[in-house]
Amino acid sequence: MLRVRCLRGGSRGAEAAHYIGSRLRGVFRGWVQRTFQSTQAAAASQNTCAADDKAASPVPKDCLVCSYNEWDPLEEVIVGRAENACVPPFSVEVKANTYEKYWGFYQKFGGHSFPKDHLKKAIAEIEEMCNILKGEGVIVKRPDPIDWSVKYKTPDFESTGMYAAMPRDILLVVGNEIIEAPMAWRARFFEYRAYRRLIKDYFNSGAKWTTAPKPTMADELYDQNYPIHSVEDRHKLAAQGKFVTTEFEPCFDAADFIRAGRDIFVQRSQVTNCMGIEWMRRHLAPDYRVHIISFKDPNPMHIDATFNIIGPGLVLSNPDRPCHQIELFKKAGWTVIQPPVPLIPDDHPLWMSSKWLSMNVLMLDEKRVMVDANETSIQKMFEKLGISTVKVNIRHANSLGGGFHCWTCDIRRRGTLQSYLD
């Protein structure tokens, strides 16, 4: 540090000024020289990195990731895995998202594998689904198998894992960007690990990669006394805008969002709070508009078995869960279709979902749809719309909580960014 005593008097003052000036000029010259040397060193370091690390090479012109909606021709998709799937521990957020008839199942098997025989059938069904997608000309990628029974602990909670079965829940592709959702269930805190290899590959190919703020999942994120005892309780609470997740910190599941070009629709649900929606709104603005829509739904969680957009201006709207903002779409000239009642039998276990997975379909393009082989009613509906059906049986996979849309995340669709609501 340069310290100068205060000198009084003309000649001594001039002397001091000359001394200070010379010292400052020396300091400045030294700073410039060091800065120049540091810049040269940094440039050399970057050149070395570029030579040794392929990830630092120029971004390819054609990015592997590009998807703006739910219906453009599908070229590449991630399909989930049922391997090692575990029942989540029966915590408050799980209780709020499941029906009372299955609470005993969660209390008994929480932290352990789903029934082995059932799981084996689900795995086989998804393998066949992958083969059919490949036969339709779609590139299929899979997450890594992980042991989800391992216990983990953070400063705020402890849990076991669940699965990597539903990539739609954790990944949202908007254009050439992959957004990793923060999730809301403690059992899904580390679910992202199964997808990291894939996402790094996509990033290295030129994709944007965003991870939303990871919640602590502390007790304050959940209403620990969420009062559900019946379907009537659920209806009443949902109508009042009360959910098990609070506004303590942002949280959302990607499956509560559905895309239609520049317009993206989302619902406030048991796993997606207003802070999470606002984070997405700010993140995607100004290129995309995020619209909140709501439904008469006693247990809102994931939008795609309630409101599934299947084409430009064409949407499946669940008749049991009417949309409160449906006039918005009708005024824009959209065709709103109510799918038929599902045919799945009452005795088939649906531990984490409703029968309306029948409308949870995957569009291969505007004229082809992957649909449940057992749901003949909805097959006829699509045929009347001029859409050919690719029939696949994933009845046992349905039990884990998802249909075709849930089990997949489309990475690339051949199309461009457009507006369909104006």
Side-chain angles (χ1 to χ4, degrees):
M1 181 181 292
L2 180 63
R3 292 179 180 173
V4 178
R5 292 176 59 190
C6 180
L7 302 176
R8 295 180 183 176
S11 60
R12 290 190 177 182
E15 214 175 279
H18 176 76
Y19 175 72
I20 293 170
S22 65
R23 291 296 301 272
L24 286 176
R25 283 193 296 273
V27 170
F28 180 73
R29 281 196 301 270
W31 175 80
V32 170
Q33 186 176 12
R34 287 192 302 272
T35 301
F36 179 70
Q37 291 171 342
S38 297
T39 303
Q40 284 186 317
S45 175
Q46 287 177 352
N47 289 336
T48 302
C49 182
D52 296 341
D53 190 350
K54 294 180 180 180
S57 61
V59 175
K61 183 178 179 181
D62 296 321
C63 179
L64 291 179
V65 176
C66 187
S67 182
Y68 295 106
N69 57 49
E70 311 291 338
W71 62 83
D72 278 338
L74 183 63
E75 295 182 342
E76 185 163 337
V77 69
I78 297 175
V79 177
R81 284 191 181 276
E83 285 86 345
N84 305 325
C86 285
V87 179
F90 192 56
S91 52
V92 63
E93 75 275 15
V94 174
K95 181 179 181 181
N97 285 279
T98 53
Y99 289 105
E100 188 174 4
K101 67 178 181 178
Y102 293 122
W103 287 353
F105 172 82
Y106 283 95
Q107 290 168 328
K108 181 178 181 180
F109 295 107
H112 302 285
S113 173
F114 281 93
K116 295 288 188 181
D117 289 345
H118 195 106
L119 207 55
K120 184 177 179 180
K121 293 175 182 177
I123 292 169
E125 289 172 349
I126 297 304
E127 288 296 330
E128 178 62 13
M129 173 184 162
C130 290
N131 292 333
I132 292 172
L133 280 168
K134 293 173 186 176
E136 294 292 327
V138 180
I139 297 171
V140 174
K141 297 295 181 69
R142 310 294 301 279
D144 293 332
I146 287 179
D147 181 0
W148 300 105
S149 67
V150 174
K151 290 184 178 180
Y152 50 83
K153 183 176 182 179
T154 79
D156 298 288
F157 70 91
E158 58 182 74
S159 182
T160 48
M162 197 163 94
Y163 54 36
M166 312 293 165
R168 188 76 57 174
D169 295 358
I170 189 170
L171 302 177
L172 180 67
V173 174
V174 181
N176 70 338
E177 180 178 16
I178 301 175
I179 301 173
E180 248 181 62
M183 311 294 281
W185 282 21
R186 289 171 166 175
R188 309 189 78 173
F189 189 83
F190 288 108
E191 194 164 316
Y192 69 87
R193 294 176 64 247
Y195 299 92
R196 276 296 165 89
R197 173 184 53 84
L198 292 175
I199 297 177
K200 285 190 290 185
D201 287 344
Y202 290 130
F203 175 76
N204 290 335
S205 79
K208 293 174 66 178
W209 174 14
T210 300
T211 299
K214 194 72 172 170
T216 63
M217 295 187 182
D219 288 347
E220 291 88 344
L221 180 59
Y222 312 101
D223 180 351
Q224 300 293 333
N225 299 306
Y226 193 65
I228 46 170
H229 302 287
S230 65
V231 173
E232 290 73 23
D233 289 337
R234 293 175 184 269
H235 270 295
K236 185 185 297 183
L237 291 164
Q240 295 171 353
K242 295 181 180 179
F243 305 93
V244 70
T245 47
T246 69
E247 298 298 328
F248 176 68
E249 57 192 347
C251 68
F252 63 85
D253 281 12
D256 269 325
F257 295 80
I258 198 155
R259 307 158 303 151
R262 291 194 181 275
D263 295 284
I264 297 175
F265 303 94
V266 62
Q267 66 171 349
R268 174 43 166 122
S269 77
Q270 300 285 22
V271 293
T272 296
N273 65 10
C274 293
M275 286 186 75
I277 294 171
E278 181 59 22
W279 184 90
M280 282 288 285
R281 189 199 303 277
R282 295 183 197 181
H283 177 72
L284 294 173
D287 296 324
Y288 300 90
R289 298 169 292 198
V290 175
H291 308 267
I292 300 176
I293 54 178
S294 59
F295 308 89
K296 187 180 179 182
D297 185 354
N299 191 45
M301 178 183 174
H302 302 168
I303 200 170
D304 47 5
T306 300
F307 197 80
N308 198 355
I309 304 173
I310 61 172
L314 186 62
V315 63
L316 300 181
S317 184
N318 190 323
D320 279 1
R321 308 169 193 162
C323 178
H324 295 134
Q325 296 81 19
I326 201 65
E327 290 302 317
L328 169 71
F329 301 94
K330 291 181 177 179
K331 287 179 181 178
W334 285 36
T335 301
V336 179
I337 300 170
Q338 292 190 349
V341 174
L343 301 177
I344 190 167
D346 292 337
D347 61 353
H348 186 77
L350 291 172
W351 296 303
M352 285 185 283
S353 57
S354 75
K355 292 183 178 183
W356 284 103
L357 290 177
S358 59
M359 64 175 281
N360 190 264
V361 296
L362 177 68
M363 302 303 297
L364 304 184
D365 55 43
E366 287 186 44
K367 295 299 179 182
R368 288 182 303 157
V369 61
M370 182 167 279
V371 65
D372 193 320
N374 303 287
E375 295 287 343
T376 55
S377 298
I378 202 167
Q379 292 169 21
K380 292 177 182 177
M381 181 206 77
F382 279 115
E383 289 162 6
K384 288 181 180 178
L385 292 171
I387 300 173
S388 62
T389 56
V390 178
K391 305 173 185 65
V392 186
N393 178 23
I394 60 166
R395 185 56 54 86
H396 291 85
N398 287 158
S399 299
L400 300 183
F404 298 105
H405 199 252
C406 300
W407 275 92
T408 59
C409 176
D410 43 300
I411 291 297
R412 188 171 64 258
R413 289 183 181 270
R414 192 170 63 252
T416 58
L417 179 60
Q418 298 181 42
S419 179
Y420 303 95
L421 196 63
D422 296 332

